[in-house]
Every structure is written in C-alpha cells, then in structure tokens.
Amino acid sequence: MQRALFSRSALLAQQAAAALDGPLAARSAPLLLRLDRSMSSVSIPPPACMLRPLEVPLRYLFGPGPSNVPPRILAAQGRPIIGHLHPEMYEIMNDIKRGIQYIFQTENNMTIAMSGSGHAAMECAVFNTVEPGESVLVGVNGIWGERVAEIAERMGANVHRMVKAPGGYFSNKEIEQAVEKHKPVLFFLTHGESSTGLCHPVDGIGDICRKHNCLFLVDTVASLGAAPIFMDKQNIDILYTGSQKALNAPPGTAPISFNDRACHKMFNRKTKPVSLLFDMTCLSNYWGCDGQPARLYHHTGPVSGFFALRESLAIVAEKGLEESWKKHKEVAAYLYRGLEDLGLKLFIPDMDLRLPSVTTIAIPEGYNWRELLAYIMKHHQMEMTGGLGPSMGMVMRIGLMGYNCEKTNADMALHALADALKNCKKSKA
C-alpha cells in the first residue's frame, strides 16, 4: 500500500515537473512530492460516530439543573454569530449587565457575566479577593461550601470551615463568633444549597461582615430568580449565579457582581490573581466597567451563550422578579403537598428554609434510590437525581425552576414517582 502511494505521488510530481521548464521544474518536483505525501498519509480514519447525524433525546429535566430551556431562548442562541468585539456585541453585553443588576437588585458598576458555569464565577470571586496566606471562613453545609474551601486552599489561603450536617444552617451568632475568632478577609455562604434543598437566611450577615472588615460572598446559583435576594440592601459584597437554573438559559454563563468594598480589596492586592482568565483587572475592561474608552481583547466570549443569557434576563424582567419568586413558591408548595400525599418525607422540615427551586425528599425506606431514578428515566424520560457530596445516599432531588416551574410539571413528577414506588422492588427492611 505504501509503495502504491509513493508511486502515485512520484508520478504526480513527475507530471507537474514536466509541465515546467528548466531549474524551476527541478525544484518544484520534490516540493510537490512532499505535499502530496503529507496529504496521503492519514493513518487514523474518521470515527464512525462522526459520520452519523447528531441525536439528542427529549428529556424532562426535573433535577437540580440544567433546566429545560424555552423556545425563545433556543431561538436566540441560534442567531447568526457576530464578532465578540463588534459594537453590537458590546451593546448586548451592556444589556446583560443591566439585566444582572436588576436580578441581583444592585447598582454595582462592577457587574459582568463570566464565560463559564457557576464554578467559573465561584473561582473568580475567590481568586480576585483573596491572596495566599490570608484567612478565609467558609460555611460548609453541603457541597458548595466544600468546593469553595478547596478552591481557597488550592490558591494558598488559610481556610477555616464552619460545618453543619446536610440541611443544617448557621445562626448569625455562630457566624459572628467565627468571624471574630478567625478574622477572615472573606466569608462564604451558599444561599441556595442545591445538594440539600436548603435556602439559607441571609439578613444581618452582611452587617456582621462589615463590622469586622470582612467581605461577604454569596452563592445563588440554585436560588437566583426563585427566592428573594437583595444584594445592596443585604450588604452582600460579592454575589454570583449560573445561567442554567431558574434563569432559563443553557449552561455556560455566570453573572457576578462586586461592590465598592470588594473592588477596593481586589484592585489593591500585592500579588496578581492566580488565573489570567478570571483576572477582574482584565475582565472589567472587557465588560466596559473600568471607565476606559476602549475595550481590549482579553478572551473570546461565548457569543451565542450571551445571546441566550440576554434573552433569559429579558424574560425575568418582563415577568418581574417578584412574580418569579411568587410562582416558584406556589409551585413548590403544590409539590410538597403532592409528595406528602405519596407518603414521602421532605428532607428540610421547616418550609421557610426550603429552596423553592430544588426540593429534597428523604429516600423512602426500603427502596434503592438508584433503582427509583433509573425507572423514572427509563419509563418517563424524566431526570430526577440523588444527593450530591455530603447528601449522597440521603436524598432524592426534584427541580422545578424557570421554564419548568409549572403545576402541570409537578403533576408529571408526582405521577412518575408514584409509578416508580409501585413498580420498583422494595426490600423487606
């Protein structure tokens, strides 16, 4: 085979050389031979999977996220691409900034959307406001506190953990005592702990942090748009969320905002942030937040993702934040009643502490939770999930958020659960 390829290549080279005259022909023949041989030497064939059409199943995404996306946002993401540095793109980014200010209830100028999931915003917040050796206090009552603690440790911070069992929450007195003891530059708390279904109270914590010269960082990835949060009124210094839950958009963008206290800390640091991609000195210019006349290239933003995020923020603005909070609360209460009618136990006993977007139920006694979820997926094309991190093996999670936040969807979820409980084997225990 190799001999045949070489013979063919040699013949092509000879034919090309014959068409030329003199020294040029002699020089061109070896060059043409090398080019042809390089194009004929592919040894790995195209994979069979790439020769088939893309197939994506229709699923009801009733887990903790991502959620199903409305047609309007799917259409927005399918619009023609424009350059990420075009004036029209900057205008869309400006719209996004104003939309984030609305959903966060903040007037912070330093408000952007990260190119990446909620984890990108999480790392951006820590990388920019904490330097190696500084003290960080993290409230750990689920997986997201664990993640922030690990991020801070990896970049060299001195991390202190406040730990509660999954579903537990911290009193303001406990928080203030820990802040007084460890003197952190940053305190982290998850508002919507999706791994346990807890919506943590926030009032008064920002005041404690200001009293002790500590920044207050809050994760609202699972709660933003589903439960009330007021960045400015609650004295939250850094707030972030993700696009793929109650905001209706696909995964891949993450709104984040820094107030003046946070900006003073991150723009007066002694060392550069460990990440260039997440460096707010660069990102603030890319998003037009630094007052400079020109926006310079930093990275290529997810253009289609920004189209989708812009439309998702527009939908929330058109509906109104208060209406969004009200609807999530009503649908969640409807789901609670249906679960209790099935004889299931809600994991968070206090209704006021339950996360409206993600409901957790204790695994019903005698059942294998993996079998229940597998049955629901197979027979109902519906995603529900088990616990995550510390709550693994303790709960099953049902998410009805954003576009999926409807009583008809709650009925579908309840029917699927009832069917699974009826048909899955139950142990004698």
Side-chain angles (χ1 to χ4, degrees), residues 92-129:
I92 290 169
M93 293 167 71
N94 292 341
D95 289 349
I96 289 171
K97 176 179 177 177
R98 287 188 283 269
I100 296 170
Q101 289 172 325
Y102 170 65
I103 62 171
F104 282 5
Q105 287 295 284
T106 184
E107 296 180 352
N108 292 340
N109 175 59
M110 199 61 65
T111 299
I112 70 170
M114 300 296 299
S115 302
S117 67
H119 274 78
M122 181 188 288
E123 294 208 342
C124 175
V126 177
F127 287 168
N128 282 278
T129 58

Short mmCIF file of all heavy atoms in Angstrom, two decimals, residues 92-129:
data_model
loop_
_atom_site.label_atom_id
_atom_site.label_comp_id
_atom_site.label_asym_id
_atom_site.label_seq_id
_atom_site.Cartn_x
_atom_site.Cartn_y
_atom_site.Cartn_z
N ILE A 92 -25.00 44.28 23.43
CA ILE A 92 -25.66 43.13 24.06
C ILE A 92 -25.07 42.87 25.43
O ILE A 92 -25.80 42.59 26.40
CB ILE A 92 -25.52 41.89 23.15
CG1 ILE A 92 -26.37 42.07 21.89
CG2 ILE A 92 -25.92 40.61 23.89
CD1 ILE A 92 -26.12 41.05 20.81
N MET A 93 -23.75 43.00 25.56
CA MET A 93 -23.11 42.83 26.86
C MET A 93 -23.58 43.91 27.84
O MET A 93 -23.77 43.65 29.04
CB MET A 93 -21.58 42.84 26.71
CG MET A 93 -21.05 41.62 25.95
SD MET A 93 -19.32 41.78 25.43
CE MET A 93 -18.46 41.67 27.00
N ASN A 94 -23.77 45.12 27.34
CA ASN A 94 -24.29 46.19 28.19
C ASN A 94 -25.70 45.86 28.67
O ASN A 94 -26.06 46.12 29.83
CB ASN A 94 -24.30 47.52 27.44
CG ASN A 94 -22.91 48.05 27.15
OD1 ASN A 94 -21.93 47.64 27.80
ND2 ASN A 94 -22.79 48.94 26.18
N ASP A 95 -26.52 45.29 27.78
CA ASP A 95 -27.86 44.87 28.18
C ASP A 95 -27.78 43.80 29.28
O ASP A 95 -28.55 43.84 30.26
CB ASP A 95 -28.62 44.28 26.98
CG ASP A 95 -29.01 45.32 25.95
OD1 ASP A 95 -28.89 46.53 26.24
OD2 ASP A 95 -29.44 44.92 24.85
N ILE A 96 -26.87 42.86 29.09
CA ILE A 96 -26.70 41.80 30.08
C ILE A 96 -26.33 42.39 31.44
O ILE A 96 -26.87 41.99 32.48
CB ILE A 96 -25.63 40.79 29.61
CG1 ILE A 96 -26.15 39.97 28.43
CG2 ILE A 96 -25.19 39.88 30.75
CD1 ILE A 96 -25.10 39.11 27.76
N LYS A 97 -25.41 43.33 31.43
CA LYS A 97 -25.00 43.97 32.70
C LYS A 97 -26.20 44.59 33.41
O LYS A 97 -26.40 44.40 34.62
CB LYS A 97 -23.94 45.03 32.41
CG LYS A 97 -23.51 45.82 33.64
CD LYS A 97 -22.44 46.84 33.30
CE LYS A 97 -22.07 47.68 34.51
NZ LYS A 97 -20.97 48.63 34.22
N ARG A 98 -27.02 45.33 32.66
CA ARG A 98 -28.19 45.96 33.28
C ARG A 98 -29.20 44.92 33.76
O ARG A 98 -29.84 45.10 34.81
CB ARG A 98 -28.83 46.94 32.30
CG ARG A 98 -28.00 48.20 32.08
CD ARG A 98 -28.75 49.24 31.26
NE ARG A 98 -28.74 48.90 29.85
CZ ARG A 98 -27.82 49.31 28.98
NH1 ARG A 98 -26.81 50.07 29.39
NH2 ARG A 98 -27.90 48.97 27.70
N GLY A 99 -29.34 43.83 33.00
CA GLY A 99 -30.23 42.76 33.44
C GLY A 99 -29.76 42.09 34.72
O GLY A 99 -30.56 41.77 35.60
N ILE A 100 -28.46 41.90 34.84
CA ILE A 100 -27.90 41.30 36.06
C ILE A 100 -28.11 42.24 37.25
O ILE A 100 -28.46 41.80 38.36
CB ILE A 100 -26.40 40.98 35.89
CG1 ILE A 100 -26.21 39.92 34.80
CG2 ILE A 100 -25.80 40.49 37.21
CD1 ILE A 100 -24.76 39.71 34.41
N GLN A 101 -27.90 43.53 37.03
CA GLN A 101 -28.12 44.48 38.12
C GLN A 101 -29.56 44.39 38.63
O GLN A 101 -29.81 44.50 39.84
CB GLN A 101 -27.81 45.90 37.63
CG GLN A 101 -26.31 46.15 37.42
CD GLN A 101 -26.04 47.49 36.75
OE1 GLN A 101 -26.82 47.94 35.89
NE2 GLN A 101 -24.94 48.12 37.10
N TYR A 102 -30.49 44.17 37.71
CA TYR A 102 -31.89 44.04 38.13
C TYR A 102 -32.12 42.76 38.93
O TYR A 102 -32.70 42.81 40.02
CB TYR A 102 -32.80 44.06 36.90
CG TYR A 102 -34.23 43.69 37.20
CD1 TYR A 102 -35.03 44.51 38.02
CD2 TYR A 102 -34.80 42.51 36.71
CE1 TYR A 102 -36.35 44.16 38.31
CE2 TYR A 102 -36.10 42.17 36.99
CZ TYR A 102 -36.88 42.98 37.80
OH TYR A 102 -38.17 42.64 38.10
N ILE A 103 -31.68 41.62 38.41
CA ILE A 103 -31.97 40.36 39.11
C ILE A 103 -31.20 40.26 40.43
O ILE A 103 -31.66 39.60 41.36
CB ILE A 103 -31.68 39.13 38.23
CG1 ILE A 103 -30.21 39.04 37.84
CG2 ILE A 103 -32.59 39.10 37.01
CD1 ILE A 103 -29.83 37.75 37.17
N PHE A 104 -30.05 40.94 40.52
CA PHE A 104 -29.29 40.97 41.78
C PHE A 104 -29.80 42.06 42.72
O PHE A 104 -29.43 42.09 43.89
CB PHE A 104 -27.81 41.21 41.52
CG PHE A 104 -27.04 40.00 41.05
CD1 PHE A 104 -27.67 38.80 40.77
CD2 PHE A 104 -25.67 40.08 40.87
CE1 PHE A 104 -26.94 37.70 40.33
CE2 PHE A 104 -24.94 38.98 40.44
CZ PHE A 104 -25.57 37.79 40.17
N GLN A 105 -30.60 43.00 42.18
CA GLN A 105 -31.04 44.17 42.94
C GLN A 105 -29.82 44.93 43.48
O GLN A 105 -29.65 45.13 44.68
CB GLN A 105 -31.99 43.76 44.07
CG GLN A 105 -33.38 43.37 43.58
CD GLN A 105 -34.13 44.54 42.94
OE1 GLN A 105 -34.63 45.43 43.63
NE2 GLN A 105 -34.19 44.55 41.61
N THR A 106 -29.00 45.37 42.52
CA THR A 106 -27.78 46.11 42.86
C THR A 106 -27.54 47.22 41.86
O THR A 106 -27.98 47.14 40.70
CB THR A 106 -26.56 45.17 42.89
OG1 THR A 106 -25.42 45.92 43.31
CG2 THR A 106 -26.27 44.58 41.51
N GLU A 107 -26.84 48.23 42.30
CA GLU A 107 -26.38 49.31 41.43
C GLU A 107 -24.88 49.21 41.17
O GLU A 107 -24.28 50.13 40.62
CB GLU A 107 -26.73 50.67 42.04
CG GLU A 107 -28.23 50.92 42.16
CD GLU A 107 -28.56 52.27 42.76
OE1 GLU A 107 -27.61 52.96 43.22
OE2 GLU A 107 -29.74 52.66 42.77
N ASN A 108 -24.27 48.09 41.53
CA ASN A 108 -22.82 47.94 41.35
C ASN A 108 -22.42 48.09 39.89
O ASN A 108 -22.95 47.40 39.01
CB ASN A 108 -22.36 46.55 41.82
CG ASN A 108 -22.50 46.37 43.32
OD1 ASN A 108 -22.57 47.33 44.07
ND2 ASN A 108 -22.54 45.12 43.75
N ASN A 109 -21.44 48.96 39.65
CA ASN A 109 -20.90 49.10 38.30
C ASN A 109 -20.13 47.85 37.88
O ASN A 109 -20.19 47.43 36.72
CB ASN A 109 -19.98 50.32 38.23
CG ASN A 109 -19.29 50.44 36.89
OD1 ASN A 109 -19.94 50.53 35.85
ND2 ASN A 109 -17.97 50.42 36.89
N MET A 110 -19.42 47.22 38.82
CA MET A 110 -18.59 46.06 38.51
C MET A 110 -19.46 44.80 38.46
O MET A 110 -19.43 43.95 39.35
CB MET A 110 -17.48 45.91 39.54
CG MET A 110 -16.31 45.05 39.07
SD MET A 110 -15.48 45.71 37.61
CE MET A 110 -14.81 47.26 38.24
N THR A 111 -20.24 44.72 37.40
CA THR A 111 -21.20 43.63 37.21
C THR A 111 -21.01 43.05 35.82
O THR A 111 -21.10 43.79 34.83
CB THR A 111 -22.64 44.15 37.39
OG1 THR A 111 -22.79 44.67 38.72
CG2 THR A 111 -23.65 43.05 37.16
N ILE A 112 -20.73 41.75 35.73
CA ILE A 112 -20.42 41.12 34.45
C ILE A 112 -21.02 39.71 34.42
O ILE A 112 -21.63 39.26 35.39
CB ILE A 112 -18.89 41.03 34.22
CG1 ILE A 112 -18.26 40.01 35.18
CG2 ILE A 112 -18.23 42.40 34.39
CD1 ILE A 112 -16.81 39.68 34.86
N ALA A 113 -20.81 39.02 33.31
CA ALA A 113 -21.14 37.59 33.22
C ALA A 113 -19.88 36.83 32.83
O ALA A 113 -19.24 37.15 31.83
CB ALA A 113 -22.25 37.34 32.19
N MET A 114 -19.52 35.85 33.63
CA MET A 114 -18.35 35.04 33.35
C MET A 114 -18.61 34.12 32.16
O MET A 114 -19.73 33.67 31.93
CB MET A 114 -18.00 34.18 34.57
CG MET A 114 -17.67 34.96 35.83
SD MET A 114 -16.20 35.96 35.64
CE MET A 114 -14.97 34.70 35.32
N SER A 115 -17.55 33.85 31.41
CA SER A 115 -17.61 32.86 30.34
C SER A 115 -17.34 31.50 30.97
O SER A 115 -16.19 31.09 31.14
CB SER A 115 -16.56 33.17 29.26
OG SER A 115 -16.75 34.45 28.73
N GLY A 116 -18.39 30.80 31.35
CA GLY A 116 -18.25 29.53 32.05
C GLY A 116 -19.44 29.30 32.95
O GLY A 116 -20.34 30.13 33.06
N SER A 117 -19.44 28.18 33.63
CA SER A 117 -20.54 27.82 34.52
C SER A 117 -20.41 28.57 35.85
O SER A 117 -19.51 29.40 36.03
CB SER A 117 -20.51 26.31 34.78
OG SER A 117 -19.35 25.98 35.54
N GLY A 118 -21.30 28.26 36.78
CA GLY A 118 -21.24 28.89 38.10
C GLY A 118 -19.90 28.68 38.78
O GLY A 118 -19.46 29.52 39.57
N HIS A 119 -19.23 27.56 38.49
CA HIS A 119 -17.90 27.33 39.06
C HIS A 119 -16.91 28.42 38.63
O HIS A 119 -16.00 28.77 39.38
CB HIS A 119 -17.37 25.96 38.62
CG HIS A 119 -17.80 24.84 39.50
ND1 HIS A 119 -19.06 24.29 39.42
CD2 HIS A 119 -17.16 24.16 40.47
CE1 HIS A 119 -19.16 23.32 40.31
NE2 HIS A 119 -18.03 23.22 40.96
N ALA A 120 -17.06 28.92 37.40
CA ALA A 120 -16.17 29.98 36.93
C ALA A 120 -16.33 31.23 37.79
O ALA A 120 -15.34 31.87 38.18
CB ALA A 120 -16.47 30.29 35.46
N ALA A 121 -17.58 31.59 38.10
CA ALA A 121 -17.82 32.75 38.95
C ALA A 121 -17.31 32.50 40.36
O ALA A 121 -16.78 33.39 41.02
CB ALA A 121 -19.31 33.09 38.96
N MET A 122 -17.49 31.28 40.84
CA MET A 122 -17.01 30.90 42.17
C MET A 122 -15.49 31.11 42.28
O MET A 122 -14.99 31.74 43.23
CB MET A 122 -17.37 29.44 42.44
CG MET A 122 -16.95 28.90 43.79
SD MET A 122 -17.22 27.09 43.89
CE MET A 122 -19.01 26.99 43.97
N GLU A 123 -14.77 30.61 41.29
CA GLU A 123 -13.31 30.75 41.31
C GLU A 123 -12.90 32.20 41.11
O GLU A 123 -11.97 32.69 41.74
CB GLU A 123 -12.68 29.85 40.25
CG GLU A 123 -12.87 28.37 40.54
CD GLU A 123 -11.77 27.50 39.95
OE1 GLU A 123 -11.05 27.97 39.05
OE2 GLU A 123 -11.62 26.36 40.42
N CYS A 124 -13.60 32.91 40.23
CA CYS A 124 -13.30 34.33 40.01
C CYS A 124 -13.40 35.13 41.30
O CYS A 124 -12.54 35.95 41.61
CB CYS A 124 -14.26 34.88 38.96
SG CYS A 124 -14.11 36.65 38.66
N ALA A 125 -14.45 34.87 42.06
CA ALA A 125 -14.66 35.61 43.32
C ALA A 125 -13.52 35.38 44.29
O ALA A 125 -12.99 36.32 44.90
CB ALA A 125 -15.99 35.19 43.94
N VAL A 126 -13.12 34.12 44.45
CA VAL A 126 -12.07 33.80 45.42
C VAL A 126 -10.71 34.26 44.91
O VAL A 126 -9.92 34.88 45.65
CB VAL A 126 -12.05 32.28 45.71
CG1 VAL A 126 -10.91 31.93 46.66
CG2 VAL A 126 -13.39 31.85 46.31
N PHE A 127 -10.39 33.96 43.65
CA PHE A 127 -9.08 34.30 43.11
C PHE A 127 -8.78 35.79 43.17
O PHE A 127 -7.64 36.20 43.37
CB PHE A 127 -8.98 33.86 41.64
CG PHE A 127 -8.86 32.37 41.45
CD1 PHE A 127 -9.02 31.81 40.19
CD2 PHE A 127 -8.58 31.53 42.51
CE1 PHE A 127 -8.91 30.45 39.99
CE2 PHE A 127 -8.47 30.16 42.33
CZ PHE A 127 -8.63 29.62 41.07
N ASN A 128 -9.80 36.63 42.99
CA ASN A 128 -9.58 38.07 42.90
C ASN A 128 -9.55 38.78 44.25
O ASN A 128 -8.95 39.84 44.38
CB ASN A 128 -10.65 38.71 42.02
CG ASN A 128 -10.37 38.51 40.54
OD1 ASN A 128 -9.57 39.23 39.94
ND2 ASN A 128 -11.00 37.51 39.95
N THR A 129 -10.22 38.21 45.25
CA THR A 129 -10.33 38.92 46.53
C THR A 129 -9.47 38.33 47.64
O THR A 129 -9.37 38.92 48.71
CB THR A 129 -11.80 38.93 47.01
OG1 THR A 129 -12.27 37.58 47.14
CG2 THR A 129 -12.68 39.68 46.02
#
